[in-house]
Structures are given as structure tokens and as C-alpha cells.
Amino acid sequence: MAENKTKPTPQRVSDFIAGIENPKRRADAEVLDDLFRRVTGWQPRMWGPTMVGYGQYHYTYDSGRSGDCLATGFSPRKANLVLYIMPGYTDFGHILDRLGKHKLGKACLYINKLADVEIDVVEEIVRAGLDDLATRWPVKPS
């Protein structure tokens, strides 16, 4: 079985955020870091070169595949901000309707910039995603 590509790294989150070239994207990343720290109560950790993660969980699927993954987090990509709220948004339509401009992936929320969304709704989504994840897998602090 293939090994997971996304793993925790020793890179400091503060160095990663400080190194974001686009000043608006860097400012949004600083706001998201503060938001995720407040909502989760956890210190962030880098997962791979660009994902800022808060907490983690260990999973084992029916297929036997297992691994560790960040519980929630974000990545300030050039094209957009990606929020990772596991395991997905199946039941979160009532929250997402109030969010503002966004796109959905399987377990990702894509936002062009924080000014496009309601920040208090982002907080609500992060909390709802963690609560949902904890019903499936034990979540622990990072």
C-alpha cells in the first residue's frame, strides 16, 4: 500500500506564513491562523510544504488503508485560500448558505479572499467540521 504523501514537517508555521509573497494572501493567512488557534485551542503544525494543520486523527478504512491526517487547517495558495474541514460538507448546507462567495471540493472549501466571506461563519464551519470528524475518528491536539 502506498504511503501518505502529506505528513507533518518540522517547518515553523510562522516562517511559512511570513514567507507568503502576496501581502493580501499573507494577511488572510495570519487572520486564518488566529481563527483556527482560537476555535481549536491547538497550536498549528505544517503538513507538507503548504498546509497549516490544527490537530490530527488516525484513520483506518474498511480497505485496510490507514494513516494520520490533520484534523482541520488551511493552505494559502496563489489562486485561493483552501480550508480543510474534514470529512466534508455533506450536512453543512445550512451553514454554507450564509458564508458568502466560495466553492466546494470533497473535503475542501475554496475562498478567493476572506473579504468575500463572513468570518463568523468560517468559525462556525471549522467548529462543525471538527465536531463531525470527532464522531468518526478520535481527534487529538497537534
Coordinates of all heavy atoms in Angstrom, one line a residue, residues 5-100:
K5 N 1.4 10.9 1.3 CA 2.4 12.0 0.9 C 2.4 13.1 1.8 O 3.4 13.8 2.0 CB 2.1 12.4 -0.5 CG 2.3 11.4 -1.6 CD 2.0 11.9 -2.9 CE 2.2 10.8 -4.0 NZ 1.8 11.2 -5.3
T6 N 1.2 13.5 2.4 CA 1.1 14.6 3.3 C 1.4 14.2 4.7 O 0.6 13.4 5.3 CB -0.3 15.3 3.1 OG1 -0.5 15.6 1.8 CG2 -0.4 16.5 4.0
K7 N 2.5 14.7 5.3 CA 2.9 14.3 6.6 C 3.3 15.6 7.3 O 3.7 16.6 6.7 CB 4.1 13.4 6.6 CG 3.8 12.1 5.9 CD 5.1 11.3 6.0 CE 4.8 9.9 5.3 NZ 6.0 9.1 5.4
P8 N 3.3 15.6 8.7 CA 3.8 16.7 9.4 C 5.3 17.0 9.1 O 6.0 16.0 8.8 CB 3.7 16.3 10.9 CG 2.7 15.2 10.9 CD 2.8 14.5 9.5
T9 N 5.7 18.2 9.1 CA 7.1 18.6 8.8 C 7.6 19.5 10.0 O 6.8 20.0 10.7 CB 7.2 19.4 7.5 OG1 6.6 20.7 7.7 CG2 6.5 18.7 6.3
P10 N 8.9 19.6 10.1 CA 9.4 20.5 11.1 C 9.4 22.0 10.8 O 9.7 22.8 11.7 CB 10.9 20.0 11.3 CG 11.2 19.4 9.9 CD 9.9 18.9 9.4
Q11 N 8.9 22.3 9.6 CA 8.9 23.8 9.2 C 8.0 24.5 10.2 O 6.9 24.1 10.6 CB 8.3 23.9 7.8 CG 8.3 25.4 7.3 CD 7.7 25.5 5.9 OE1 7.1 24.6 5.4 NE2 7.9 26.7 5.3
R12 N 8.4 25.7 10.6 CA 7.7 26.5 11.5 C 6.5 27.2 10.7 O 6.8 27.8 9.7 CB 8.6 27.6 12.2 CG 9.6 27.0 13.2 CD 10.5 28.0 13.8 NE 9.7 29.2 14.2 CZ 10.3 30.2 14.7 NH1 11.6 30.3 14.9 NH2 9.5 31.3 15.0
V13 N 5.4 27.2 11.3 CA 4.2 27.9 10.7 C 4.4 29.4 10.5 O 4.1 29.9 9.5 CB 2.9 27.6 11.5 CG1 1.8 28.4 11.0 CG2 2.6 26.1 11.5
S14 N 5.0 30.0 11.5 CA 5.3 31.4 11.5 C 6.2 31.8 10.3 O 6.0 32.8 9.6 CB 5.8 32.0 12.8 OG 7.0 31.3 13.1
D15 N 7.2 30.9 10.1 CA 8.1 31.2 8.9 C 7.4 31.0 7.6 O 7.6 31.7 6.7 CB 9.3 30.2 9.0 CG 10.2 30.5 10.2 OD1 10.2 31.6 10.7 OD2 11.0 29.6 10.5
F16 N 6.6 30.0 7.5 CA 5.8 29.7 6.3 C 4.9 30.9 6.0 O 4.9 31.4 4.9 CB 5.0 28.4 6.4 CG 4.0 28.3 5.3 CD1 4.4 28.0 4.0 CD2 2.6 28.4 5.6 CE1 3.5 27.9 3.0 CE2 1.7 28.3 4.5 CZ 2.1 28.0 3.3
I17 N 4.1 31.4 7.0 CA 3.2 32.5 6.7 C 4.0 33.8 6.4 O 3.6 34.5 5.5 CB 2.3 32.7 7.9 CG1 1.3 31.5 8.0 CG2 1.5 34.0 7.8 CD1 0.4 31.5 9.2
A18 N 5.1 34.0 7.1 CA 5.9 35.2 6.8 C 6.5 35.2 5.4 O 6.8 36.2 4.8 CB 7.0 35.3 7.8
G19 N 6.7 34.0 4.8 CA 7.2 33.8 3.5 C 6.3 33.9 2.4 O 6.7 33.8 1.2
I20 N 5.0 34.1 2.7 CA 4.0 34.2 1.6 C 4.2 35.6 0.9 O 4.2 36.6 1.5 CB 2.6 34.1 2.2 CG1 2.3 32.8 2.8 CG2 1.5 34.4 1.1 CD1 1.0 32.7 3.6
E21 N 4.5 35.5 -0.4 CA 4.9 36.7 -1.2 C 3.8 37.8 -1.3 O 4.0 38.9 -1.1 CB 5.3 36.3 -2.6 CG 6.7 35.6 -2.5 CD 7.1 35.2 -3.9 OE1 6.7 35.9 -4.9 OE2 8.0 34.3 -4.0
N22 N 2.6 37.3 -1.6 CA 1.5 38.3 -1.8 C 1.0 38.8 -0.4 O 0.6 38.1 0.4 CB 0.3 37.5 -2.5 CG -0.9 38.5 -2.8 OD1 -1.4 39.1 -1.9 ND2 -1.3 38.5 -4.0
P23 N 1.1 40.1 -0.2 CA 0.8 40.7 1.1 C -0.7 40.5 1.5 O -0.9 40.3 2.7 CB 1.1 42.2 0.9 CG 1.3 42.5 -0.5 CD 1.6 41.2 -1.2
K24 N -1.6 40.5 0.6 CA -3.0 40.3 0.9 C -3.2 38.8 1.3 O -4.0 38.5 2.3 CB -3.9 40.7 -0.2 CG -4.0 42.2 -0.4 CD -4.9 42.6 -1.5 CE -4.9 44.1 -1.7 NZ -5.8 44.5 -2.7
R25 N -2.6 37.9 0.6 CA -2.7 36.5 0.9 C -2.1 36.2 2.3 O -2.6 35.4 3.1 CB -2.1 35.6 -0.2 CG -2.2 34.2 0.0 CD -3.7 33.6 -0.2 NE -4.0 33.6 -1.6 CZ -5.2 33.9 -2.0 NH1 -6.2 34.3 -1.2 NH2 -5.5 33.9 -3.3
R26 N -0.9 36.8 2.5 CA -0.2 36.7 3.8 C -1.1 37.2 4.9 O -1.2 36.6 6.0 CB 1.1 37.4 3.8 CG 1.9 37.2 5.0 CD 3.3 37.8 5.0 NE 3.4 39.2 4.5 CZ 3.8 39.6 3.4 NH1 4.3 38.8 2.5 NH2 3.8 40.9 3.1
A27 N -1.8 38.4 4.8 CA -2.6 38.9 5.8 C -3.8 38.0 6.0 O -4.2 37.8 7.2 CB -3.1 40.3 5.4
D28 N -4.4 37.4 5.0 CA -5.5 36.5 5.2 C -5.0 35.2 5.9 O -5.7 34.7 6.8 CB -6.1 36.1 3.8 CG -7.1 37.1 3.3 OD1 -7.4 38.1 4.0 OD2 -7.5 36.9 2.1
A29 N -3.8 34.8 5.6 CA -3.3 33.6 6.3 C -3.1 33.9 7.8 O -3.3 33.0 8.6 CB -2.0 33.2 5.7
E30 N -2.6 35.1 8.1 CA -2.5 35.5 9.5 C -3.8 35.5 10.3 O -3.9 35.0 11.4 CB -1.8 36.8 9.6 CG -0.3 36.8 9.2 CD 0.3 38.2 9.0 OE1 -0.5 39.2 9.0 OE2 1.5 38.3 8.9
V31 N -4.9 36.0 9.6 CA -6.2 36.0 10.2 C -6.7 34.6 10.4 O -7.2 34.2 11.4 CB -7.2 36.8 9.3 CG1 -8.6 36.6 9.8 CG2 -6.8 38.3 9.3
L32 N -6.5 33.7 9.4 CA -6.9 32.3 9.5 C -6.2 31.6 10.6 O -6.8 30.8 11.3 CB -6.8 31.6 8.2 CG -7.8 31.9 7.1 CD1 -7.4 31.3 5.8 CD2 -9.2 31.5 7.6
D33 N -4.9 31.8 10.7 CA -4.1 31.2 11.8 C -4.7 31.6 13.1 O -4.9 30.7 14.0 CB -2.6 31.6 11.7 CG -1.8 30.9 12.7 OD1 -2.0 29.8 13.1 OD2 -0.9 31.6 13.2
D34 N -5.0 32.8 13.3 CA -5.5 33.3 14.6 C -6.9 32.6 14.8 O -7.2 32.1 15.9 CB -5.7 34.8 14.6 CG -6.3 35.3 15.9 OD1 -5.7 35.1 17.0 OD2 -7.4 35.9 15.9
L35 N -7.7 32.6 13.8 CA -9.1 32.0 13.9 C -9.0 30.5 14.2 O -9.7 30.1 15.2 CB -9.8 32.2 12.5 CG -11.2 31.6 12.4 CD1 -12.0 32.5 11.5 CD2 -11.2 30.2 12.0
F36 N -8.2 29.7 13.5 CA -8.0 28.3 13.8 C -7.5 28.1 15.2 O -7.9 27.1 15.9 CB -7.2 27.6 12.8 CG -7.9 27.2 11.5 CD1 -8.0 28.1 10.5 CD2 -8.5 26.0 11.4 CE1 -8.7 27.8 9.3 CE2 -9.2 25.6 10.2 CZ -9.3 26.5 9.2
R37 N -6.5 28.9 15.6 CA -6.0 28.7 17.0 C -7.1 28.9 18.0 O -7.2 28.2 19.0 CB -4.8 29.7 17.2 CG -3.6 29.3 16.5 CD -2.5 30.4 16.8 NE -1.4 30.3 15.9 CZ -0.2 30.0 16.4 NH1 0.0 29.8 17.7 NH2 0.9 29.9 15.5
R38 N -7.9 30.0 17.8 CA -9.0 30.3 18.8 C -10.0 29.2 18.8 O -10.5 28.8 19.9 CB -9.6 31.6 18.5 CG -8.8 32.9 18.9 CD -9.6 34.2 18.7 NE -9.7 34.5 17.3 CZ -10.8 34.4 16.6 NH1 -12.0 34.0 17.1 NH2 -10.8 34.8 15.3
V39 N -10.5 28.8 17.6 CA -11.6 27.8 17.5 C -11.1 26.5 18.1 O -11.9 25.8 18.8 CB -12.1 27.7 16.1 CG1 -13.0 26.5 15.9 CG2 -12.7 29.0 15.6
T40 N -9.9 26.0 17.7 CA -9.5 24.7 18.1 C -8.8 24.7 19.5 O -8.8 23.7 20.2 CB -8.5 24.1 17.1 OG1 -7.3 24.9 17.1 CG2 -9.1 24.1 15.7
G41 N -8.1 25.8 19.8 CA -7.3 25.8 21.1 C -6.0 25.1 20.9 O -5.3 24.8 21.9
W42 N -5.6 24.7 19.7 CA -4.4 24.0 19.4 C -3.4 24.8 18.6 O -3.7 25.8 17.9 CB -4.7 22.8 18.5 CG -5.7 21.8 19.1 CD1 -5.8 21.6 20.5 CD2 -6.7 21.0 18.5 NE1 -6.8 20.6 20.7 CE2 -7.4 20.3 19.5 CE3 -7.0 20.9 17.1 CZ2 -8.4 19.4 19.1 CZ3 -8.0 20.0 16.8 CH2 -8.7 19.2 17.8
Q43 N -2.1 24.5 18.8 CA -1.0 25.1 18.1 C -1.0 24.5 16.7 O -1.2 23.3 16.5 CB 0.3 24.8 18.8 CG 0.4 25.6 20.1 CD 0.3 27.1 20.0 OE1 1.0 27.7 19.2 NE2 -0.6 27.7 20.7
P44 N -0.6 25.2 15.7 CA -0.6 24.7 14.3 C 0.7 23.9 14.1 O 1.7 24.1 14.8 CB -0.6 26.0 13.5 CG 0.0 27.0 14.3 CD -0.4 26.7 15.7
R45 N 0.7 23.2 13.0 CA 1.8 22.4 12.6 C 1.7 22.3 11.1 O 0.7 22.2 10.5 CB 1.7 21.1 13.2 CG 2.5 20.0 12.7 CD 2.4 18.8 13.5 NE 3.7 18.1 13.5 CZ 3.9 17.0 14.1 NH1 3.0 16.4 14.7 NH2 5.1 16.5 14.0
M46 N 2.9 22.4 10.4 CA 2.9 22.3 8.9 C 2.7 20.8 8.5 O 3.3 19.9 9.1 CB 4.2 22.8 8.4 CG 4.4 24.3 8.5 SD 3.1 25.3 7.7 CE 3.3 24.8 6.0
W47 N 1.9 20.6 7.5 CA 1.7 19.3 6.9 C 2.1 19.4 5.5 O 1.4 20.2 4.7 CB 0.2 18.9 7.0 CG -0.2 18.4 8.4 CD1 -0.4 19.2 9.5 CD2 -0.4 17.1 8.9 NE1 -0.7 18.5 10.6 CE2 -0.7 17.2 10.2 CE3 -0.3 15.9 8.2 CZ2 -1.0 16.0 11.0 CZ3 -0.6 14.7 9.0 CH2 -0.9 14.8 10.4
G48 N 3.2 18.8 5.1 CA 3.7 19.1 3.8 C 4.2 20.5 3.7 O 4.3 21.2 4.7
P49 N 4.5 20.9 2.5 CA 5.1 22.3 2.4 C 4.2 23.4 2.5 O 4.6 24.6 2.7 CB 5.8 22.2 1.0 CG 4.9 21.2 0.2 CD 4.5 20.2 1.2
T50 N 2.8 23.2 2.3 CA 1.9 24.4 2.3 C 0.7 24.3 3.1 O -0.2 25.2 3.1 CB 1.5 24.6 0.8 OG1 0.8 23.5 0.3 CG2 2.7 24.9 -0.1
M51 N 0.5 23.2 3.9 CA -0.8 23.0 4.6 C -0.5 23.3 6.1 O 0.4 22.7 6.7 CB -1.3 21.6 4.4 CG -1.7 21.3 3.0 SD -2.1 19.6 2.7 CE -3.5 19.3 3.7
V52 N -1.3 24.2 6.7 CA -1.2 24.6 8.1 C -2.3 23.8 8.8 O -3.5 24.0 8.5 CB -1.4 26.1 8.3 CG1 -1.3 26.4 9.8 CG2 -0.3 26.9 7.5
G53 N -1.9 22.9 9.6 CA -2.9 22.0 10.3 C -3.0 22.2 11.8 O -2.1 22.5 12.4
Y54 N -4.2 21.9 12.3 CA -4.5 22.0 13.7 C -5.2 20.7 14.1 O -6.2 20.3 13.6 CB -5.5 23.2 13.9 CG -5.0 24.5 13.4 CD1 -5.1 24.7 12.0 CD2 -4.4 25.4 14.2 CE1 -4.5 25.9 11.5 CE2 -3.8 26.5 13.7 CZ -3.9 26.8 12.4 OH -3.4 28.0 11.9
G55 N -4.5 20.0 15.1 CA -5.0 18.7 15.5 C -4.7 17.7 14.4 O -4.2 18.0 13.3
Q56 N -5.0 16.4 14.8 CA -4.8 15.3 13.9 C -5.6 14.1 14.3 O -6.1 14.1 15.4 CB -3.3 14.9 13.8 CG -2.7 14.3 15.0 CD -1.3 13.9 14.8 OE1 -0.5 14.8 14.4 NE2 -0.9 12.7 15.0
Y57 N -5.8 13.2 13.4 CA -6.5 12.0 13.7 C -5.9 10.8 12.9 O -5.2 11.0 11.9 CB -8.0 12.1 13.4 CG -8.3 12.3 11.9 CD1 -8.8 11.2 11.2 CD2 -8.2 13.5 11.3 CE1 -9.1 11.3 9.8 CE2 -8.5 13.6 9.9 CZ -9.0 12.5 9.2 OH -9.3 12.6 7.9
H58 N -6.1 9.7 13.5 CA -5.6 8.4 12.8 C -6.9 7.7 12.3 O -7.8 7.6 13.0 CB -4.9 7.5 13.8 CG -4.3 6.3 13.1 ND1 -3.2 6.3 12.4 CD2 -4.8 5.0 13.1 CE1 -3.0 5.1 11.9 NE2 -4.0 4.3 12.3
Y59 N -6.8 7.3 11.0 CA -7.9 6.6 10.4 C -7.5 5.2 9.9 O -6.3 5.0 9.6 CB -8.5 7.4 9.2 CG -7.5 7.7 8.1 CD1 -7.3 6.7 7.1 CD2 -6.7 8.8 8.1 CE1 -6.3 6.9 6.1 CE2 -5.7 9.0 7.1 CZ -5.6 8.1 6.1 OH -4.6 8.3 5.2
T60 N -8.4 4.4 9.8 CA -8.3 3.1 9.2 C -9.6 2.8 8.4 O -10.7 2.7 9.0 CB -8.1 1.9 10.2 OG1 -6.9 2.2 11.0 CG2 -7.8 0.6 9.5
Y61 N -9.5 2.7 7.1 CA -10.6 2.5 6.3 C -10.9 1.0 6.2 O -10.1 0.1 6.6 CB -10.4 3.0 4.9 CG -10.2 4.5 4.8 CD1 -9.2 5.0 4.0 CD2 -11.0 5.4 5.5 CE1 -9.0 6.4 3.9 CE2 -10.8 6.7 5.4 CZ -9.8 7.2 4.6 OH -9.7 8.6 4.5
D62 N -12.1 0.6 5.7 CA -12.5 -0.8 5.6 C -11.6 -1.5 4.7 O -11.4 -2.7 4.8 CB -13.9 -0.9 5.0 CG -15.0 -0.4 6.0 OD1 -14.7 -0.4 7.2 OD2 -16.1 -0.1 5.6
S63 N -10.9 -0.8 3.7 CA -10.0 -1.4 2.8 C -8.7 -1.8 3.5 O -7.9 -2.5 2.9 CB -9.6 -0.4 1.7 OG -8.9 0.7 2.2
G64 N -8.5 -1.3 4.7 CA -7.3 -1.6 5.4 C -6.3 -0.5 5.4 O -5.3 -0.4 6.1
R65 N -6.5 0.5 4.5 CA -5.6 1.6 4.4 C -5.7 2.5 5.7 O -6.8 2.7 6.1 CB -5.9 2.5 3.2 CG -5.0 3.7 3.0 CD -5.4 4.5 1.7 NE -4.6 5.7 1.6 CZ -3.4 5.8 1.2 NH1 -2.7 4.7 0.8 NH2 -2.8 7.0 1.1
S66 N -4.6 2.9 6.2 CA -4.7 3.7 7.4 C -3.6 4.8 7.3 O -2.7 4.8 6.5 CB -4.4 2.9 8.7 OG -3.1 2.3 8.7
G67 N -3.7 5.8 8.2 CA -2.8 6.9 8.2 C -3.2 7.9 9.2 O -4.2 7.8 9.9
D68 N -2.4 9.0 9.2 CA -2.7 10.2 10.0 C -2.9 11.4 9.1 O -2.3 11.5 8.1 CB -1.5 10.5 11.0 CG -1.3 9.3 11.9 OD1 -2.2 9.0 12.7 OD2 -0.2 8.7 11.9
C69 N -3.8 12.2 9.6 CA -4.1 13.4 8.8 C -4.4 14.6 9.7 O -4.8 14.4 10.9 CB -5.4 13.1 8.0 SG -5.7 14.4 6.7
L70 N -4.2 15.8 9.2 CA -4.6 17.0 10.0 C -6.1 17.0 10.3 O -6.9 16.5 9.4 CB -4.2 18.3 9.3 CG -4.7 18.5 7.9 CD1 -5.8 19.6 8.0 CD2 -3.6 19.0 7.0
A71 N -6.5 17.5 11.4 CA -7.9 17.5 11.7 C -8.7 18.6 11.0 O -9.8 18.5 10.5 CB -8.2 17.6 13.2
T72 N -8.0 19.7 10.9 CA -8.5 20.9 10.2 C -7.4 21.8 9.9 O -6.3 21.7 10.4 CB -9.6 21.6 11.0 OG1 -10.3 22.6 10.2 CG2 -9.1 22.3 12.3
G73 N -7.6 22.8 9.0 CA -6.5 23.7 8.7 C -6.8 24.4 7.4 O -7.9 24.5 6.9
F74 N -5.7 25.0 6.8 CA -5.8 25.8 5.6 C -4.5 25.8 4.8 O -3.5 25.4 5.4 CB -6.3 27.2 5.9 CG -5.2 28.0 6.6 CD1 -4.4 28.9 5.9 CD2 -5.1 28.0 8.0 CE1 -3.4 29.6 6.5 CE2 -4.1 28.8 8.7 CZ -3.2 29.6 7.9
S75 N -4.6 26.2 3.6 CA -3.5 26.4 2.8 C -3.7 27.7 2.0 O -4.7 27.8 1.2 CB -3.2 25.3 1.8 OG -2.1 25.5 1.0
P76 N -2.8 28.7 2.1 CA -2.9 29.9 1.3 C -2.3 29.8 -0.1 O -1.2 30.2 -0.3 CB -2.2 31.0 2.2 CG -1.1 30.1 2.9 CD -1.7 28.8 3.1
R77 N -3.0 29.2 -1.0 CA -2.5 29.0 -2.3 C -2.6 30.3 -3.1 O -3.3 31.2 -2.8 CB -3.2 27.9 -3.0 CG -3.1 26.6 -2.3 CD -3.8 25.5 -3.1 NE -3.8 24.2 -2.4 CZ -4.5 23.2 -2.7 NH1 -5.4 23.3 -3.7 NH2 -4.5 22.1 -2.1
K78 N -1.8 30.3 -4.2 CA -1.8 31.6 -5.0 C -3.2 31.9 -5.6 O -3.7 33.0 -5.6 CB -0.9 31.4 -6.2 CG 0.6 31.5 -5.7 CD 1.5 31.6 -6.9 CE 3.0 31.6 -6.3 NZ 3.9 32.1 -7.2
A79 N -3.9 30.8 -6.0 CA -5.3 31.0 -6.7 C -6.4 31.3 -5.7 O -7.3 32.1 -5.9 CB -5.6 29.8 -7.5
N80 N -6.3 30.7 -4.5 CA -7.3 30.9 -3.5 C -6.8 30.4 -2.1 O -5.8 29.7 -2.0 CB -8.6 30.2 -3.9 CG -8.3 28.8 -4.4 OD1 -7.5 28.0 -3.9 ND2 -9.0 28.4 -5.5
L81 N -7.7 30.6 -1.1 CA -7.4 30.0 0.2 C -8.2 28.7 0.3 O -9.4 28.7 -0.2 CB -8.0 31.0 1.3 CG -7.4 32.3 1.4 CD1 -8.2 33.3 2.2 CD2 -6.0 32.2 2.0
V82 N -7.5 27.7 0.7 CA -8.2 26.4 0.8 C -8.3 26.1 2.3 O -7.3 26.1 3.1 CB -7.4 25.3 0.1 CG1 -8.1 23.9 0.2 CG2 -7.1 25.6 -1.3
L83 N -9.6 25.8 2.8 CA -9.8 25.4 4.1 C -10.1 23.9 4.2 O -10.9 23.4 3.4 CB -11.0 26.2 4.8 CG -10.6 27.6 5.3 CD1 -10.1 28.5 4.2 CD2 -11.9 28.2 5.9
Y84 N -9.4 23.2 5.0 CA -9.6 21.7 5.1 C -10.5 21.5 6.4 O -10.0 21.7 7.5 CB -8.3 21.0 5.3 CG -7.3 21.3 4.1 CD1 -6.3 22.2 4.2 CD2 -7.5 20.7 2.9 CE1 -5.5 22.5 3.2 CE2 -6.7 21.0 1.8 CZ -5.7 21.9 2.0 OH -4.8 22.2 0.9
I85 N -11.7 21.1 6.1 CA -12.6 20.8 7.2 C -13.1 19.4 6.9 O -13.9 19.1 6.0 CB -13.8 21.8 7.3 CG1 -13.3 23.1 7.7 CG2 -14.8 21.3 8.3 CD1 -13.1 24.1 6.7
M86 N -12.5 18.4 7.7 CA -12.8 17.0 7.4 C -14.0 16.6 8.1 O -14.4 17.1 9.2 CB -11.6 16.2 7.9 CG -10.3 16.7 7.4 SD -10.2 16.7 5.6 CE -8.5 17.4 5.4
P87 N -14.7 15.6 7.7 CA -14.5 14.8 6.5 C -15.2 15.4 5.3 O -15.1 14.8 4.2 CB -15.1 13.4 6.8 CG -16.2 13.7 7.8 CD -15.7 15.0 8.5
G88 N -16.0 16.4 5.4 CA -16.6 17.0 4.2 C -17.8 17.9 4.6 O -17.9 18.2 5.8
Y89 N -18.6 18.3 3.7 CA -19.6 19.3 3.9 C -21.0 18.7 3.7 O -22.0 19.4 3.5 CB -19.5 20.5 3.0 CG -18.2 21.2 3.4 CD1 -17.0 21.0 2.8 CD2 -18.2 22.1 4.4 CE1 -15.9 21.7 3.1 CE2 -17.1 22.8 4.8 CZ -15.9 22.6 4.1 OH -14.8 23.3 4.5
T90 N -21.2 17.4 3.8 CA -22.4 16.7 3.5 C -23.6 17.4 4.2 O -24.6 17.6 3.6 CB -22.4 15.2 3.8 OG1 -21.2 14.7 3.2 CG2 -23.6 14.5 3.4
D91 N -23.5 17.7 5.4 CA -24.6 18.2 6.2 C -24.5 19.7 6.6 O -25.2 20.2 7.4 CB -24.7 17.4 7.5 CG -24.9 15.9 7.3 OD1 -25.7 15.6 6.4 OD2 -24.3 15.1 8.0
F92 N -23.6 20.4 5.9 CA -23.3 21.8 6.3 C -24.0 22.8 5.4 O -23.6 24.0 5.4 CB -21.8 22.0 6.4 CG -21.2 21.2 7.4 CD1 -19.9 20.8 7.3 CD2 -21.8 20.8 8.6 CE1 -19.2 20.0 8.2 CE2 -21.2 20.0 9.5 CZ -19.9 19.6 9.3
G93 N -24.9 22.5 4.5 CA -25.5 23.4 3.6 C -26.1 24.6 4.3 O -26.0 25.7 3.8
H94 N -26.8 24.4 5.5 CA -27.4 25.4 6.2 C -26.4 26.5 6.7 O -26.7 27.6 6.9 CB -28.2 24.9 7.4 CG -27.4 24.2 8.4 ND1 -26.8 23.0 8.2 CD2 -27.1 24.6 9.6 CE1 -26.1 22.6 9.3 NE2 -26.3 23.6 10.2
I95 N -25.2 26.0 6.9 CA -24.1 27.0 7.3 C -23.5 27.6 6.1 O -23.3 28.9 6.0 CB -23.0 26.3 8.1 CG1 -23.6 25.6 9.4 CG2 -21.9 27.3 8.5 CD1 -22.6 24.7 10.1
L96 N -23.2 26.8 5.1 CA -22.6 27.4 3.9 C -23.4 28.4 3.1 O -22.9 29.3 2.5 CB -22.2 26.2 2.9 CG -21.1 25.3 3.4 CD1 -21.0 24.0 2.6 CD2 -19.8 26.0 3.5
D97 N -24.7 28.3 3.3 CA -25.6 29.3 2.6 C -25.4 30.7 3.2 O -25.7 31.6 2.5 CB -27.1 28.9 2.9 CG -27.5 27.6 2.1 OD1 -26.8 27.2 1.2 OD2 -28.6 27.1 2.5
R98 N -24.8 30.8 4.4 CA -24.6 32.1 5.0 C -23.2 32.6 4.8 O -22.8 33.6 5.3 CB -24.9 32.0 6.5 CG -26.4 31.7 6.7 CD -26.7 31.7 8.2 NE -26.3 30.5 8.9 CZ -25.3 30.4 9.8 NH1 -24.7 31.4 10.2 NH2 -25.0 29.2 10.3
L99 N -22.3 31.7 4.2 CA -20.9 32.0 4.2 C -20.5 33.2 3.3 O -19.7 34.0 3.6 CB -20.1 30.8 3.7 CG -18.6 30.9 3.6 CD1 -18.0 31.3 5.0 CD2 -18.0 29.6 3.1
G100 N -21.0 33.2 2.1 CA -20.6 34.2 1.1 C -20.0 33.4 -0.1 O -20.2 32.2 -0.3

